[in-house]
């Protein structure tokens, strides 16, 4: 149990376009989902925390108008990278957490390349 | 600011050698502590966790970690590594009501047969 999926697993887009990444908890209800960014050979950096039915909380330095997060249901959160630029190219990872649990289950990640 | 330090960025061992990976954190309040592993091409998986109680915690695949509060440390150990332990290991600290995780830089472990 506790499987988290992400779609797509990789995406290439042109500069100026928007890209949506989905994160789904397949076999449990996730009241909280997290979005991370991982640069090559570096650690994960938390971008934002989202709770079902409420606005996401962004970490310092993360542009909320650029990285739109929606957590519309207990099994789905989406991250939309708006007006993507090459510097947004990265590996984006989501995780999901059950209510009253401190354990996060991670998705496989989405590789975004902006050309 | 809160931070997590992993002392070894790259470790190379032979099979059957013992492993200890260091992790120190800076945070004044209550924390939850985690070690995650990322095998090549796979997603992060939880190795073990500490919330409270016995500071020596055992995880999957023979790994264990010891929380030493006075040293703000949570070192990962395994008495005898296998080639299949080749992976990247991340220490993480969870804080706050939502248990937001702060990750260390990671340690790449390569085990040679």
């Amino acid at each position: 149990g506790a499987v988290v999926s992400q779609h797509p697993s990789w995406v290439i887009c042109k500069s100026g376009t928007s890209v949506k990444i989905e994160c789904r908890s397949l076999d449990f209800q996730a009241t909280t989902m997290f979005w991370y960014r991982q640069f090559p050979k570096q650690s994960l950096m938390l971008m934002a925390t989202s709770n079902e039915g409420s606005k996401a909380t962004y970490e310092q330095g993360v542009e909320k108008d650029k990285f739109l997060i929606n957590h519309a249901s207990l099994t789905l959160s989406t991250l939309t990278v708006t007006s993507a630029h090459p510097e947004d190219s990265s590996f984006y990872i989501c995780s999901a957490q059950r209510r009253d649990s401190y354990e996060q289950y991670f998705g496989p990640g989405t590789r975004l390349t902006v050309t | 600011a809160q931070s997590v330090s992993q002392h070894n960025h790259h470790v190379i061992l032979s099979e059957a050698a013992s492993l200890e990976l260091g992790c120190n954190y800076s945070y004044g309040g209550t924390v939850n502590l985690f070690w995650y592993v990322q095998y090549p091409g796979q997603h992060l998986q939880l190795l073990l966790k500490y919330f409270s109680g016995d500071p020596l915690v055992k995880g999957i695949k023979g790994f264990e970690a010891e929380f030493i509060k006075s040293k703000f440390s949570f070192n990962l150990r395994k008495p005898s590594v296998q080639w299949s332990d080749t992976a990247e290991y991340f220490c993480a600290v969870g804080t706050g009501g939502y248990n937001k995780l702060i990750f260390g830089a990671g340690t790449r472990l390569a085990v040679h047969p």
Side-chain angles (χ1 to χ4, degrees):
Chain A
V3 178
V4 176
S5 70
Q6 282 184 241
H7 179 80
S9 54
W10 59 271
V11 57
I12 302 172
C13 71
K14 292 191 175 182
S15 188
T17 62
S18 296
V19 174
K20 180 185 284 189
I21 302 169
E22 293 185 348
C23 176
R24 292 182 186 272
S25 55
L26 299 184
D27 51 4
F28 67 100
Q29 293 187 329
T31 50
T32 305
M33 285 184 169
F34 303 85
W35 286 94
Y36 296 84
R37 186 170 176 177
Q38 186 177 29
F39 291 99
K41 299 186 179 181
Q42 293 189 33
S43 188
L44 286 77
M45 290 184 57
L46 179 64
M47 298 174 65
T49 303
S50 76
N51 289 290
E52 185 263 339
S54 60
K55 287 184 179 180
T57 304
Y58 291 82
E59 295 300 301
Q60 193 172 11
V62 177
E63 298 176 59
K64 61 182 180 182
D65 294 329
K66 180 166 192 61
F67 298 100
L68 301 179
I69 291 171
N70 184 280
H71 191 164
S73 77
L74 286 172
T75 59
L76 174 65
S77 176
T78 59
L79 168 68
T80 302
V81 183
T82 62
S83 187
H85 291 287
E87 57 265 30
D88 299 324
S89 298
S90 191
F91 197 54
Y92 293 89
I93 302 172
C94 75
S95 71
Q97 186 169 283
R98 291 186 175 97
R99 188 192 307 276
D100 299 329
S101 170
Y102 286 146
E103 189 166 336
Q104 293 183 28
Y105 301 94
F106 286 82
T110 297
R111 172 80 56 198
L112 169 64
T113 301
V114 185
T115 61
Chain B
Q2 304 155 23
S3 65
V4 179
S5 297
Q6 290 185 239
H7 314 302
N8 317 97
H9 296 293
H10 202 165
V11 173
I12 302 173
L13 295 173
S14 298
E15 273 193 320
S18 64
L19 170 72
E20 180 158 4
L21 301 182
C23 173
N24 286 90
Y25 65 93
S26 65
Y27 184 73
T30 302
V31 296
N32 301 312
L33 299 163
F34 305 83
W35 275 98
Y36 285 89
V37 61
Q38 189 171 30
Y39 297 103
Q42 296 190 26
H43 61 277
L44 280 167
Q45 299 173 40
L46 181 67
L47 266 183
L48 47 77
K49 61 192 176 192
Y50 173 81
F51 294 158
S52 63
D54 189 343
L56 183 63
V57 292
K58 296 191 183 299
I60 60 171
K61 304 186 181 187
F63 287 91
E64 66 178 31
E66 184 176 13
F67 170 50
I68 302 179
K69 190 174 181 179
S70 60
K71 294 184 178 181
F72 297 90
S73 69
F74 190 56
N75 293 353
L76 180 71
R77 299 194 290 250
K78 185 170 184 178
S80 176
V81 294
Q82 301 174 313
W83 175 79
S84 57
D85 293 325
T86 294
E88 187 152 19
Y89 293 81
F90 293 96
C91 178
V93 171
T95 64
Y98 292 116
N99 192 51
K100 296 199 298 186
L101 294 181
I102 303 167
F103 281 85
T107 298
R108 288 184 179 269
L109 172 65
V111 180
H112 295 308

